[in-house]
């Protein structure tokens, strides 16, 4: 059989057919290769099955194996449910309960079925009870696949179950695949990489992942497969970086008169060490003759804007123009005000492009940009419209880069002859993720804060001390300060979300009758939102109630209080971002976290991490540890690759090895053109096509 069977549709495999093929394709499985890489979610290791008599309440999740004794749907006034009693070989009984999808689940089980139940047991009445447990039906007819010591269990979902795609049927289908064509699965890693990193053959690993003979074999298989996956991710990143490094870029080496004047005379403060280092990195990139792709990462308030302005001045010193793109009008205006303040004294013309300008204003600005009279243009997405033409764009700065899509960055890039790109983000990324997320960018990190800032004081309040919180807010407002009150976004229901913020707004107006209270939320139009933000910024509002829409980076130095309602519902990194909106002036600022007392110990622990530290990087590490990489941003949005087996949170050692191997391979064969690497290249092309990697690349 030829290698091409791997890319054949699974529809024609015995036991699948068009309907199941469609259901599987929703789970990302369309061809034979996908099926082989549809890795088990867990393994049922018979040696670790727990007897019912040894169960304890609220412990770790456990697996119980037994026979279904009875099943039944229980009608109830509140909610219908399906219950099932399972008995283990020692006569111990457990109860399993489902409240959802009762219709289909009641068709899954029959008395006499042998099942494995996985979940966290709780005690209700006399029996241990599992609600909505994971389960697997064990096979009687085909014992050879199921009586081994370790059994693969696959991800289940209602639609998979409904189509009859269970762990049991998957094991059979995959077993048959290996029997018929297992030997023709090609190796994807070069021989020398496998030797150096002590990896078993791909074919052997795939088979062992589905049908392990022992724990040891399974461990070797998993390591090999994770390595392979991370190796190809790294290969992709190294190739991109290689491409950038070959792109020629404008050289900023014609003096630094303006930059020196700005840093020496205009700027009222000294740069921090981190700012100085970032600027040095940028200087060496922009004078190297190659095009720069640099990401500056720094916590909110670390002073990234000044770095960007200094970089823009280097461009102007060398006869180029610069562009500065921000995600919202209010941020663009804030940057514009800063640029005017710093650059007008140097005699530099700055323009702004916004969506809401009149045609006349806009046309005039466009003419100045095209002729080169304007040296720096600030704006929102309006900057990348077709009508915007530069005379000679040498540097594009993109603020809050994660808010822009790849296409938008590419459009910005296309406005000049390979302009240097400077991306900025206030979202700290743990090192292990940064390597993957930004592997194709050079990164400068600003870790220190400008001096003279009083660290924000964070306090945790439970509902019983709500009045204390209000008293505190009142005292700050009396002292002439302003406050934010933020409500979480409730994902399932935008309506509910609004209701929370809205009723909060109403009650705050009652509690603070003399204060000017305003509301901003996600359902408002962009202009309305901006207008509300502007009122707050100008001091016309005392308390701004909002859902999570208030913008990152908006500088309101007089706002000293950030109240976060239902703080337990936010992610740690998100809370840290919110907190960063205060503490921008000289006076002491406060972040008050309001939490529900009944929350779990885990969420209390998370919130106290926030009380303990102000360091965004430390918080992001904690957050990552708690949530795992997939969840950290949501894989799709973040540009993180969709991984099938590796986990960026925990597989950092394998990641480092894979990275080393990938870069060694490219050193030896930069375009994978050698015959011995043909299989690597073939697989790489496929991997690239399906990886969904968006990456922060620009060029
Ligand atoms: P961010 O990194 O969040 O974009 P900004 O660039 O908006 O931060 O800077 C926050 C504030 O800190 C601004 O008011 C800015 O003028 C001030 N700032 C920046 N650098 C320094 C410095 N080295 N010393 C003192 N203040 C600084
Ligand atoms: Mg900023």
């Amino acid at each position: 059989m030829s290698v091409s069977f791997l890319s054949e549709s699974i529809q024609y495999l015995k036991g699948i057919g068009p309907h199941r093929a469609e259901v599987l394709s929703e789970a990302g499985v369309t061809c034979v290769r996908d099926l082989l890489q549809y890795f088990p979610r867990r393994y049922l290791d018979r040696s670790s099955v727990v007897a019912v008599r040894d169960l304890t309440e609220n412990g770790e999740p456990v697996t119980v194996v037994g026979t279904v004794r009875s099943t039944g749907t229980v009608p109830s006034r509140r909610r219908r449910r399906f219950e099932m009693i399972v008995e283990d070989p020692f006569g111990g009984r457990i109860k399993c309960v489902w409240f959802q999808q009762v219709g289909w689940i009641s068709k899954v089980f029959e008395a006499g079925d042998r099942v494995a139940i996985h979940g966290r047991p709780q005690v209700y009445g006399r029996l241990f009870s599992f609600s909505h447990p994971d389960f697997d039906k064990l096979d009687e007819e085909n014992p050879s696949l199921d009586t081994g010591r370790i059994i693969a269990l696959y991800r289940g979902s209602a639609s998979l179950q409904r189509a009859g795609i269970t762990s049991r049927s998957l094991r059979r289908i995959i077993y048959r695949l290996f029997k018929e064509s297992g030997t023709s699965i090609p190796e994807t890693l070069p021989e020398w990489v496998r030797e150096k990193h002590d990896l078993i053959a791909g074919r052997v690993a795939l088979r062992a992942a589905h049908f392990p003979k022992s724990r040891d074999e399974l461990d070797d298989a998993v390591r090999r497969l994770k390595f392979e996956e991370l190796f190809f991710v790294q290969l992709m990143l190294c190739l991109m970086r290689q491409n950038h490094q070959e792109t020629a870029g404008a050289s900023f080496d014609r003096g630094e008169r303006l930059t020196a004047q700005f840093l020496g005379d205009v700027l009222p403060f000294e740069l921090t060490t981190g700012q100085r280092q970032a600027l040095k990195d940028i200087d060496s990139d922009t004078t190297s003759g190659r095009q720069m792709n640099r990401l500056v990462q720094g916590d909110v308030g670390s002073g990234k804007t000044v770095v960007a302005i200094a970089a823009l001045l280097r461009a102007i010193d060398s006869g180029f123009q610069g562009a500065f793109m921000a995600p919202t009008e209010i941020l663009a205006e804030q940057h514009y005000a800063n640029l005017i303040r710093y650059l007008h004294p140097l005699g530099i013309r700055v323009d702004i492009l916004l969506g809401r300008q009149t045609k006349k204003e806009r046309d005039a600005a466009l003419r100045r940009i095209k002729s080169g009279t304007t040296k720096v243009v600030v704006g929102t997405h309006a900057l990348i419209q077709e009508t915007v033409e530069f005379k000679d764009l040498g540097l594009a700065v993109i603020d809050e880069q994660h808010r822009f899509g790849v296409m938008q960055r590419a459009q910005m890039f296309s406005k000049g002859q390979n302009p240097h790109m400077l991306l900025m983000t206030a979202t700290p990324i743990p090192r292990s993720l940064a390597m993957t997320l930004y592997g194709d960018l050079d990164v400068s990190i600003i870790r220190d804060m400008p001096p003279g800032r009083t660290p924000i004081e964070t306090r945790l309040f439970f509902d019983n001390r709500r009045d204390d919180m209000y008293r505190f807010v009142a005292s700050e407002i009396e002292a002439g300060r302003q406050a934010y009150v933020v409500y979480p976004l409730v994902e399932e229901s935008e309506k509910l979300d609004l209701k929370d913020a809205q009723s909060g707004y109403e009650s705050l107006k009652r509690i603070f009758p003399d204060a000017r209270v305003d509301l901003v939320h996600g359902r408002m139009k962009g202009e309305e939102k901006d207008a509300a933000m502007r009122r707050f910024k100008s001091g016309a509002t005392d308390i701004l109630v909002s859902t999570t829409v208030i913008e990152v980076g908006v500088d309101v130095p007089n706002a000293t209080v950030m109240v976060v309602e239902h703080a337990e519902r936010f992610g740690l990194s998100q809370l840290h971002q919110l907190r960063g909106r205060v503490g921008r002036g000289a006076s002491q600022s406060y972040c008050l976290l309001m939490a529900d007392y009944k929350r779990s110990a885990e969420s209390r622990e998370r919130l106290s991490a926030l009380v303990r530290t102000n360091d965004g990087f430390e918080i992001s590490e904690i957050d990552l540890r708690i949530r795992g990489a997939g969840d950290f941003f949501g894989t799709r949005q973040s540009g993180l690759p969709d991984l099938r087996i590796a986990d960026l949170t925990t597989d950092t050692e394998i990641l480092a090895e894979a990275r080393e191997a990938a870069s060694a391979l490219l050193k030896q064969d930069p375009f994978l053109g050698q015959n011995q690497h043909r299989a690597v290249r073939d697989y790489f092309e496929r991997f690239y096509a399906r990886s969904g990697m968006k990456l922060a690349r620009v060029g």
Side-chain angles (χ1 to χ4, degrees), residues 225-271:
L225 293 166
K226 287 180 169 180
F227 186 100
E228 173 182 306
E229 189 166 48
L230 294 170
F231 174 80
F232 282 98
V233 171
Q234 291 304 321
L235 206 56
M236 196 158 10
L237 292 165
C238 290
L239 276 165
M240 285 179 181
R241 186 188 280 258
Q242 192 170 291
N243 285 347
H244 289 319
Q245 283 171 350
E246 275 161 26
T247 310
S251 197
F252 291 179
D253 50 12
R254 282 188 267 146
E256 39 189 290
R257 184 179 63 86
L258 293 166
T259 321
Q261 242 178 309
F262 167 65
L263 296 176
D265 307 339
V266 180
L267 204 61
F269 44 73
E270 297 278 308
L271 294 185

Side-chain angles (χ1 to χ4, degrees), residues 240 244 291-294 398 401 405-414 419-423 440-441 694-699:
M240 285 179 181
H244 289 319
Q291 187 244 337
M292 167 175 81
N293 277 287
R294 182 167 291 278
I398 301 185
Q401 66 91 22
V406 179
M407 283 316 288
Q408 292 168 321
R409 283 178 293 212
Q411 276 168 303
M412 191 72 250
F413 181 74
S414 72
H420 296 295
M421 301 296 290
L422 180 61
L423 313 177
D440 66 325
L441 297 175
K694 290 190 295 188
L695 296 170
R697 76 179 289 223
V698 283

Side-chain angles (χ1 to χ4, degrees), residues 267 269-272 275 298-307 334-335 338 341-342 399-400 424 426 446 449-451 453 553 555 557 584:
L267 204 61
F269 44 73
E270 297 278 308
L271 294 185
T272 63
Q275 286 171 319
D299 221 338
V300 274
S302 60
K304 296 182 291 293
T305 317
V306 173
V307 173
Q334 188 174 295
H335 288 320
N338 271 322
R341 173 152 62 108
Y342 292 133
D399 194 16
E400 308 298 343
M424 306 201 292
I446 305 181
M449 284 286 169
R453 289 251 178 99
D555 216 358
R584 294 182 158 247

Side-chain angles (χ1 to χ4, degrees), residues 429-432 616-626:
I429 315 266
R431 199 168 290 282
S432 56
F617 284 91
E618 192 181 333
I619 286 166
S620 75
E621 300 279 358
I622 299 172
D623 201 15
L624 180 66
R625 219 172 40 234
I626 294 173

Side-chain angles (χ1 to χ4, degrees), residues 630-648:
D631 232 24
F632 190 70
F633 286 124
T635 305
R636 290 255 162 245
Q637 290 174 27
S638 63
L640 276 175
D642 242 334
L643 297 177
R644 290 185 173 172
I645 190 164
D647 179 341
L648 293 169

